[in-house]
Amino acid sequence: MHTEIDETLGPRYSPARIRATWDGTGSVEDASKALGFSRAMGYDLIRNGQFPCRVLRIGRKTRVVTASLLRVLESGDPEYNDAGDRRAPTS
């Protein structure tokens, strides 16, 4: 059953709907679907440190930062968890 709000926010995993309905974090399953891959693939990417968004581990739970997910969806550029510059410092 669709409501008027559902129709104005667009598809289930659109940035507009995520912005309107998610809190500060979302599930790995939902974030993975929004990015176009499976839950299992999402957890594999997290284990390898390659999930394209910031991820928080809270006790035994793993949550995806909503703001990071939105930036990735809108820009197409990943924000890997530890994506800092890993080159050796130059003197």
Side-chain angles (χ1 to χ4, degrees):
M1 179 168 157
H2 293 289
T3 65
E4 186 175 322
I5 292 173
D6 288 342
E7 292 172 6
T8 60
L9 293 177
R12 182 171 183 185
Y13 295 109
S14 70
R17 181 179 295 270
I18 291 169
R19 194 173 284 107
T21 60
W22 289 26
D23 292 326
T25 63
S27 71
V28 173
E29 181 175 4
D30 285 338
S32 296
K33 287 180 182 178
L35 293 164
F37 44 83
S38 71
R39 173 185 174 274
M41 174 69 119
Y43 278 106
D44 284 344
L45 292 171
I46 288 169
R47 268 190 296 281
N48 294 323
Q50 295 180 328
F51 196 80
C53 307
R54 289 189 55 224
V55 175
L56 299 174
R57 292 177 197 231
I58 305 166
R60 295 185 60 172
K61 291 189 177 199
T62 304
R63 304 291 290 175
V64 176
V65 177
T66 302
S68 179
L69 174 63
L70 289 169
R71 284 191 295 271
V72 170
L73 288 173
E74 291 171 346
S75 73
D77 296 328
E79 291 185 348
Y80 296 113
N81 273 333
D82 296 318
D85 189 357
R86 296 180 188 207
R87 291 177 286 168
T90 57
S91 302

